[in-house]
Amino acid sequence: MVKAMDHHQAGDGGGVSLSEAEKTLDPATEREWAELRGLGHRMLDGIFDYMQGLKDTPAWREIPAETRSALGQEPVPRSGQGAEAAYESFLRDVLPYNSGNVHPRFWGWVQGGGTPLAMLSDMLASGMNPHMAGFNAAPTLVEEQVLRWMAELMGMPAGTTGLLTSGGSMANLLGLAVGRHACAGFDLREQGLRYGQPLRVYGSTETHSWLKKAMDLMGMGTAGLRVVGVDFQYRMNLSELRAAILEDRAAGYRPVCVVATAGTVNTGTTDDLEAIADLCAEEQLWFHVDGAFGALAYWSESLRPAISGMERADSLAFDLHKWGYMPFEVGAVLVRDGKKHREAFATGASYLTAMDRGPMAGGLRFAERGFELTRGFKALKVWMTLKAQGADAITQLIEQNVEQARYFASLVEASPELELAAEVPLNVVCFRYRGADDAQNQEILVRLQERGIAIPSGTTLAGRFALRVANVNHRSRREDFDVLAKAVVKIGREVMQEAAPDR
Amino acid sequence: MVKAMDHHQAGDGGGVSLSEAEKTLDPATEREWAELRGLGHRMLDGIFDYMQGLKDTPAWREIPAETRSALGQEPVPRSGQGAEAAYESFLRDVLPYNSGNVHPRFWGWVQGGGTPLAMLSDMLASGMNPHMAGFNAAPTLVEEQVLRWMAELMGMPAGTTGLLTSGGSMANLLGLAVGRHACAGFDLREQGLRYGQPLRVYGSTETHSWLKKAMDLMGMGTAGLRVVGVDFQYRMNLSELRAAILEDRAAGYRPVCVVATAGTVNTGTTDDLEAIADLCAEEQLWFHVDGAFGALAYWSESLRPAISGMERADSLAFDLHKWGYMPFEVGAVLVRDGKKHREAFATGASYLTAMDRGPMAGGLRFAERGFELTRGFKALKVWMTLKAQGADAITQLIEQNVEQARYFASLVEASPELELAAEVPLNVVCFRYRGADDAQNQEILVRLQERGIAIPSGTTLAGRFALRVANVNHRSRREDFDVLAKAVVKIGREVMQEAAPDR
C-alpha cells in the first residue's frame, strides 16, 4: 500500500536522521519500496504485454456504460486506496479503451504510435525529473545534442538553435513569433501590435488550423492572415501570393512572414519551398516552414527532392511524435538565426538570475527560446532512440510508410468500387467509395472505426468528403492495407445496399 | 539489440501475415521482445535504486569535462548501437548529473520532485500513448475526471471546465487569453488588437515573469501591461490598482483583466483575493489568479483562509508538478464559465470533424480549451496518485512544507549570523548572512550549491540579494533544514574571513 508514509529509521546511510512524524510520497520503508518496485515490474510486464499484443486487438472499442460511469462519477479520493487498487482500476477501466493510435491499422489524422524503448525512456525521464529551463546539468546537454542532431538531419546550418516542444502547434507558434518579432520593424515586445504598421502573415487554404489559432492568440486576428489559394495539386499559388504581398504593401500593411507547408495535413502535399524561399529573400519576409510530419521526409535521400528548399527556412517546425514515431509529446522548432530566436523570448527576472558556477551556470537557455519556463525531459526518448536504433532506422520506416501509401493507392485504383480523391505525393491517401455520397462515405468510415477494423479519418476536398489514410505508423504492414481495402469495399456494399435495398 | 527489425513470422495470432522485408521500431521477434523487456526491468530497478538512494547523494555535482564532451560532440547516430549501449551511456553520462530537484535538500526556484508512483504512471501513459485532443476513449474521461476533482478541490463550481497544461506559464496564458477574448468588447479572434480600444491588463511588481512573456506573445506588448506596486508585505496595492483602472478608462484604454497571485514566487505572498474579486466584479474585469504553487494551499483547511477568494476566480492557473509533487509536466487551468473557455479557442477544420459515433464522438473537447491540438496523457499520473495515495496525503505534505518553512525561519531568527529578508507567509523563506553584501551572499549560495550540500536559490528584494528557500519538497525533513542553516553559517564565516582575513 502506497499512501503518504512515515520515513523509516533503519538503514539510512545519510547524515540526516529522520523524524518519525514527517511524511513523504515515497515509500517509507524498505518493505514498502520493495512492494512498489514489485508493482512497477508488474506494470512494466503489463504494458509490454499490451504493446506486444496490439495486432491481435481491435483498433478501437466503445467504452462500456459502467466504465464510463466509473470514470465520470467517482468523488475526489480524499484517502488513498493504495497503488495496487489504482493499478487495477487502470487495467479494468482505462487500458482497454485506448484511443487507437498505437494500433497497426491506425492511420487517422497524423498520430505516431510510440515505441517500447521510448516508453522506457519516458520512465527514466520522469524518474530523473529534471527541470529543463536550462541550467548546468546533463539533461540540458542531452537536449542540446538532440537539437544539433535535428538541425543536421534537416539540413540547417551551424548556429541554428532549437527547442523541443509539446508538438507542432507550439513549435509553429514559436517560429512565427520569432519571425514576427524579427520582421515587425519596431519593438513589438514593448509596444505591442497597436504600434507601427499592421502586420500580415501569409498561408494557404491548406495550411493547418494551428495558424488561425496562432493568429488569434498572438493578437493579430484572422484579419492579419492572408489565405492564399492553391493549385490543383494543393500547392500554394505563388502568383497569388506575390500579388497579395504587393497589394498589402500598397494598402499600408507590413508583410512579415510566409508560412509554407512540407506535407499538408489533407493530402501530404508540399509547397514549392525553393520558390517561396526565393520570394521571401527578395521581399525580406520570414520564411517559416510547417513540416509537422512532412519535414521528416527530408531524412530520406529519395524523398528529399520533393521538399527541397526546406533547409532554407528561417524557422522550421516538426514533430517527432508524428513521423519520428515517438510517443507524445515531442515536437521541435529550429531557428536559423539563434540570436533572433533568443531576442524573441529572453527576459530577466530576479529569481532567475544566472550564475557563472554551480547549477545555474549557463542560464535559462531553453526558457529563453520559447514561452514556457518549466519543461520536462522530452529529449531523452529521442536521444535514446537515435543512439539505440539509429536515425537510419527511422528513415527506412519513413520510406516504408510512403511505399505502403503507394501500395494502398494502387489497391484503390485497382478496385472498380474505389477511387482516389487526390494525388498521393507522400504518405497520405484520400479516397472514396465510388458512387456513395458524402454521408455514405462518412458512414463507411464510422463503421470501419467502430468495428475496430481500422482507423482512417476523413476530410473534405474540393467540397466533397473523402476517407483519408495518413500513414505514420511503424507497426503497419502491407497486409494491413489489404485488410482496409477489403473492408471498405465490403462495408461500402453494405451501406449502398441499405440505401437501395432493391438495387 | 533493438534496431529497426524484421517482424517475425511465427506465433502471430492475428489474421494478417507479415512480409519479411518490412520493418518496425518494435522488437521483431519473441526473443527481441524478451530482451527489451529484460532491459526494461533493469532500467526500472536502476531508476528505483536512484530514487531510493537520493538522500545519500550530493544535491548537485558538476559535469566532468569528458562527459560534457561526449554529450557535445557525438555526431548524428546514423546506425544504432542497440538499447543496451544507449542505456549504458545514460547511466554513465546523464543520470549522475541531474538538475537536483529530486533531492531532499533542493528548495531552489519552485520545482517539484516527482514520485515513484507518478513515474510508473508516466511509463503506462507513454505506452498507451493516447492522443489527448479529445475524442471517445478512456484517457479522455480520465482527464475530465482529474479536472473535475481539481475544480472541487479548488472550490470552483460545477460548470467549470479545465485543461491540463505543460505548466504554469501555459495555464496562465490560456486563462488570460480566455479573459481577453471575453472582455475585449469586440471579436478579437477575427479582428485582432488593431481593432477596438487598446486593452489593458493589470499585475503587480511581484507577478511572475510569465505575464510579460504572455503580453509579448499575445501582441499586447509590455505597454499593455500596467504594473501596480505592492505594500510592505508584497501584496498588490489596491488603491493604486483602482486608480490605474480609472485613469486608463479616462485615457481611452479598455481594462480587461486583473492578474492576482496566490503565492508569489519571491516570498510566497498572496494578494488580497477577496478584495480583488470584489473590484473585478464592480468593474466587470476578468479575475485571473496565478496560483502556480500557492493555489495548492487551498486544499488545506488551515492554510485556506490566507488565500480565501481564490475560488471566485474567472480563471485559475496552477501546477501539479510544483506543490502537487508530480513529475514534469503537468499544470492546469480552470475556467469558471465553460462556454467562454471554449469560445476562446474552438475552431473548425475539415480533417477534424466530429462524428456522433465511434472514436471521434465527443469531438475535440481538449483542443477546444487551449492552443494545442496534440496533447499527451498527463492526466494519468495525477489520477493514479490521487486514487492510490489520496488528496489528503498531498494536503498533509503541503502543511508539512509550511511547517518546515516556519521551522527554518525560526532557525534563521535564532542565529545571530542570519536574518530573514521577508515575512514567511507560506513555504518561502528569504534570508541573508548578516553583514555580508550582495556578492558575498551570492557566493554563499553558489558554494552551497556546488558543494552539493543543498540547493536554495536567490532573488532580489527591495534592491538587495537574498537567499531563498521555496519548499515544495515532499522528501525534505526538518533535519535537512538544520543541515542548511549550519552550512550557511559555516560558509558565511568562510566567505567573510576571505574578505577580511585579519578580522
Side-chain angles (χ1 to χ4, degrees):
Chain A
M1 197 172 65
V2 186
K3 299 190 184 180
M5 287 162 282
D6 296 339
H7 250 290
H8 71 125
Q9 300 260 4
D12 292 305
V16 172
S17 68
L18 303 172
S19 28
E20 196 56 56
E22 287 180 291
K23 309 281 181 183
T24 169
L25 290 173
D26 286 341
T29 61
E30 294 284 348
R31 191 177 54 77
E32 285 179 0
W33 271 108
E35 277 172 15
L36 184 60
R37 188 188 288 243
L39 176 63
H41 284 296
R42 276 177 285 130
M43 286 174 167
L44 192 146
D45 279 329
I47 197 72
F48 257 80
D49 289 347
Y50 173 78
M51 295 179 101
Q52 198 169 348
L54 276 169
K55 65 183 175 311
D56 303 323
T57 62
W60 182 81
R61 66 185 113 195
E62 181 60 86
I63 307 166
E66 63 271 24
T67 302
R68 202 174 280 280
S69 143
L71 290 174
Q73 289 165 14
E74 186 182 347
V76 178
R78 300 282 176 173
S79 58
Q81 57 186 258
E84 290 278 359
Y87 181 53
E88 279 162 30
S89 302
F90 168 81
L91 287 177
R92 184 183 60 238
D93 296 331
V94 183
L95 184 62
Y97 310 106
N98 200 1
S99 70
N101 50 299
V102 287
H103 195 274
R105 284 192 299 279
F106 183 97
W107 309 290
W109 311 281
V110 188
Q111 304 179 2
T115 71
L117 178 62
M119 173 189 74
L120 294 171
S121 308
D122 273 343
M123 172 186 73
L124 298 174
S126 181
M128 282 190 78
N129 194 37
H131 186 278
M132 298 295 286
F135 287 176
N136 188 13
T140 299
L141 302 184
V142 169
E143 180 157 345
E144 286 287 28
Q145 192 171 54
V146 165
L147 291 166
R148 268 193 309 274
W149 290 345
M150 290 302 129
E152 185 178 333
L153 288 164
M154 294 301 181
M156 306 264 297
T160 298
T161 55
L163 192 70
L164 297 181
T165 68
S166 62
S169 292
M170 184 57 57
N172 277 304
L173 175 73
L174 297 181
L176 182 57
V178 178
R180 178 176 75 160
H181 182 258
C183 299
F186 61 95
D187 185 356
L188 183 85
R189 295 186 66 185
E190 170 58 31
Q191 303 288 354
L193 293 165
R194 302 284 297 196
Y195 192 88
Q197 284 172 274
L199 309 180
R200 271 281 164 91
V201 171
Y202 303 81
S204 85
T205 52
E206 296 301 297
T207 306
H208 187 274
S209 57
W210 72 265
L211 181 54
K212 278 193 185 172
K213 288 185 89 168
M215 294 299 290
D216 292 350
L217 187 64
M218 294 170 82
M220 295 186 282
T222 316
L225 175 64
R226 187 88 190 233
V227 180
V228 176
V230 292
D231 65 18
F232 72 100
Q233 288 175 310
Y234 297 99
R235 290 153 60 107
M236 192 186 287
N237 185 320
L238 293 191
S239 54
E240 193 180 321
L241 171 62
R242 197 177 289 273
I245 292 168
L246 286 175
E247 192 182 292
D248 284 348
R249 286 206 203 279
Y253 291 97
R254 185 181 177 97
V256 289
C257 178
V258 179
V259 175
T261 304
T264 60
V265 63
N266 270 332
T267 63
T269 301
T270 294
D271 289 325
D272 185 342
L273 301 180
E274 295 284 7
I276 296 174
D278 288 343
L279 179 62
C280 286
E282 268 168 52
E283 297 282 343
Q284 296 193 290
L285 302 182
W286 189 263
F287 175 39
H288 176 79
V289 177
D290 173 7
F293 64 92
L296 273 286
Y298 200 90
W299 298 16
S300 156
E301 275 182 46
S302 64
L303 299 172
R304 194 175 305 148
I307 51 174
S308 161
M310 189 184 82
E311 71 288 349
R312 295 170 64 189
D314 291 308
S315 52
L316 169 66
F318 57 95
D319 279 316
L320 289 158
H321 61 216
K322 290 191 171 90
W323 224 357
Y325 310 107
M326 294 292 97
F328 305 122
E329 305 169 345
V330 60
V333 63
L334 297 174
V335 179
R336 179 176 223 84
D337 182 332
K339 186 162 168 286
K340 286 181 181 162
H341 191 177
R342 192 175 174 281
E343 282 169 358
F345 296 110
T347 180
S350 54
Y351 44 88
L352 297 174
T353 312
M355 303 271 178
D356 56 2
R357 289 149 47 207
M360 297 158 86
L364 298 169
R365 61 175 91 196
F366 297 129
E368 292 182 341
R369 294 182 203 162
F371 176 70
E372 287 150 323
L373 176 57
T374 299
R375 306 168 61 249
F377 195 12
K378 304 170 189 305
L380 186 62
K381 56 189 160 196
V382 186
W383 189 82
M384 290 284 287
T385 299
L386 287 177
K387 283 176 79 81
Q389 304 189 276
D392 288 349
I394 292 174
T395 305
Q396 285 168 27
L397 281 160
I398 289 167
E399 291 170 352
Q400 176 173 299
N401 285 155
V402 173
E403 285 157 21
Q404 289 167 337
R406 288 176 188 156
Y407 174 71
F408 180 66
S410 76
L411 296 181
V412 170
E413 287 184 307
S415 165
E417 286 165 83
L418 305 179
E419 62 184 2
L420 289 178
E423 289 185 24
V424 181
L426 206 59
N427 61 331
V428 178
V429 184
C430 294
F431 66 103
R432 300 189 184 94
Y433 188 82
R434 213 183 270 271
D437 64 19
D438 282 6
Q440 288 163 332
N441 270 300
Q442 283 190 33
E443 182 62 28
I444 294 168
L445 174 62
V446 175
R447 288 190 193 180
L448 280 168
Q449 294 176 338
E450 64 185 358
R451 292 178 192 174
I453 299 167
I455 315 270
S457 56
T459 193
T460 303
L461 292 173
R464 287 184 62 200
F465 181 82
L467 287 85
R468 174 170 157 274
V469 161
N471 184 23
V472 295
N473 194 329
H474 71 89
R475 298 192 172 106
S476 299
R477 325 291 300 167
R478 283 195 172 210
E479 293 83 346
D480 291 311
F481 295 94
D482 293 330
V483 170
L484 175 63
K486 275 179 205 150
V488 173
V489 168
K490 179 171 173 289
I491 295 172
R493 287 177 189 166
E494 204 180 284
V495 167
M496 298 306 277
Q497 178 66 20
E498 288 166 24
D502 303 324
R503 194 171 61 174
Chain B
M1 199 173 63
V2 185
K3 299 191 187 180
M5 289 163 279
D6 296 341
H7 250 292
H8 71 127
Q9 299 261 5
D12 293 301
V16 172
S17 67
L18 303 172
S19 26
E20 195 57 57
E22 286 180 291
K23 309 282 180 183
T24 169
L25 290 173
D26 286 342
T29 61
E30 294 285 348
R31 189 176 55 78
E32 285 179 0
W33 271 108
E35 277 172 14
L36 185 61
R37 188 188 289 242
L39 176 63
H41 284 297
R42 276 177 287 132
M43 286 174 168
L44 192 145
D45 279 329
I47 197 72
F48 258 79
D49 289 347
Y50 174 78
M51 295 179 101
Q52 198 169 348
L54 277 170
K55 64 184 176 310
D56 303 324
T57 62
W60 181 81
R61 67 185 112 194
E62 182 60 87
I63 308 167
E66 63 272 24
T67 303
R68 201 174 282 279
S69 143
L71 290 174
Q73 289 165 15
E74 186 183 348
V76 178
R78 300 281 175 172
S79 58
Q81 56 185 259
E84 290 278 359
Y87 181 53
E88 280 162 29
S89 303
F90 168 81
L91 288 177
R92 184 184 62 239
D93 296 331
V94 183
L95 184 62
Y97 311 105
N98 200 1
S99 71
N101 50 299
V102 287
H103 194 274
R105 286 191 298 281
F106 183 97
W107 310 290
W109 310 280
V110 187
Q111 305 178 2
T115 71
L117 178 62
M119 173 189 73
L120 294 171
S121 308
D122 273 342
M123 172 185 73
L124 299 173
S126 180
M128 283 190 78
N129 194 37
H131 186 278
M132 298 296 286
F135 287 176
N136 188 13
T140 300
L141 302 184
V142 169
E143 180 157 344
E144 285 287 28
Q145 192 171 53
V146 165
L147 291 166
R148 269 193 309 274
W149 290 345
M150 291 301 129
E152 185 178 333
L153 288 164
M154 294 298 180
M156 306 265 296
T160 297
T161 55
L163 190 71
L164 297 182
T165 68
S166 62
S169 292
M170 184 57 57
N172 278 304
L173 175 73
L174 298 181
L176 182 57
V178 178
R180 179 176 75 161
H181 182 259
C183 299
F186 61 95
D187 185 354
L188 184 85
R189 296 186 66 184
E190 170 59 31
Q191 303 288 353
L193 293 166
R194 302 284 298 195
Y195 192 88
Q197 284 172 273
L199 309 179
R200 271 281 163 91
V201 171
Y202 302 82
S204 86
T205 53
E206 295 301 298
T207 307
H208 188 275
S209 57
W210 72 264
L211 181 54
K212 278 192 183 172
K213 287 185 89 167
M215 294 298 289
D216 293 349
L217 187 65
M218 293 169 82
M220 294 186 284
T222 316
L225 175 63
R226 186 88 189 231
V227 179
V228 176
V230 292
D231 64 17
F232 72 100
Q233 289 177 310
Y234 298 99
R235 291 153 57 107
M236 193 187 288
N237 185 321
L238 293 190
S239 55
E240 194 180 319
L241 171 62
R242 196 177 289 272
I245 292 167
L246 286 175
E247 194 181 290
D248 285 347
R249 284 204 205 280
Y253 291 97
R254 185 180 177 96
V256 289
C257 178
V258 179
V259 175
T261 303
T264 61
V265 61
N266 270 331
T267 63
T269 301
T270 294
D271 289 325
D272 186 343
L273 301 179
E274 294 284 9
I276 296 174
D278 288 343
L279 179 61
C280 286
E282 267 168 51
E283 297 281 345
Q284 296 192 290
L285 302 181
W286 190 264
F287 175 39
H288 176 79
V289 178
D290 173 7
F293 64 93
L296 273 286
Y298 200 90
W299 297 16
S300 156
E301 274 182 47
S302 64
L303 299 172
R304 194 175 304 148
I307 50 174
S308 161
M310 189 184 81
E311 72 288 349
R312 294 170 63 189
D314 290 308
S315 53
L316 170 66
F318 57 94
D319 279 316
L320 289 158
H321 62 215
K322 289 192 171 90
W323 226 356
Y325 309 106
M326 294 293 97
F328 306 121
E329 304 168 345
V330 60
V333 62
L334 297 174
V335 179
R336 179 175 225 87
D337 182 331
K339 185 162 169 285
K340 286 181 181 161
H341 190 175
R342 193 175 173 282
E343 281 169 357
F345 296 110
T347 181
S350 54
Y351 43 88
L352 297 173
T353 313
M355 304 269 179
D356 57 2
R357 290 149 45 209
M360 298 157 86
L364 298 169
R365 62 174 89 196
F366 297 128
E368 291 180 343
R369 294 181 202 164
F371 176 70
E372 288 150 323
L373 176 58
T374 299
R375 305 168 62 250
F377 195 13
K378 305 170 188 305
L380 186 62
K381 56 190 161 197
V382 186
W383 188 82
M384 290 284 286
T385 299
L386 287 177
K387 284 177 78 82
Q389 305 189 276
D392 288 349
I394 292 173
T395 306
Q396 284 168 28
L397 280 160
I398 290 166
E399 291 170 351
Q400 176 173 300
N401 285 154
V402 173
E403 283 157 22
Q404 289 167 337
R406 288 176 188 156
Y407 174 71
F408 180 65
S410 76
L411 296 181
V412 170
E413 286 185 309
S415 165
E417 288 164 83
L418 304 179
E419 62 183 3
L420 288 177
E423 290 185 22
V424 181
L426 206 57
N427 61 330
V428 179
V429 184
C430 294
F431 66 103
R432 299 189 185 95
Y433 188 81
R434 213 184 271 270
D437 64 17
D438 282 5
Q440 289 163 333
N441 270 299
Q442 284 190 32
E443 182 62 29
I444 293 168
L445 173 61
V446 174
R447 289 190 193 181
L448 279 167
Q449 294 176 339
E450 62 184 0
R451 292 178 192 175
I453 299 167
I455 315 270
S457 56
T459 194
T460 303
L461 291 173
R464 287 185 61 200
F465 182 82
L467 287 87
R468 172 169 157 273
V469 160
N471 185 21
V472 294
N473 194 331
H474 71 90
R475 299 192 172 106
S476 300
R477 327 290 300 167
R478 284 196 172 210
E479 293 84 345
D480 292 312
F481 296 95
D482 293 330
V483 170
L484 174 63
K486 276 179 205 149
V488 172
V489 168
K490 179 170 171 292
I491 295 173
R493 286 176 190 168
E494 204 180 284
V495 167
M496 299 306 276
Q497 178 65 21
E498 289 166 23
D502 304 324
R503 195 171 60 177

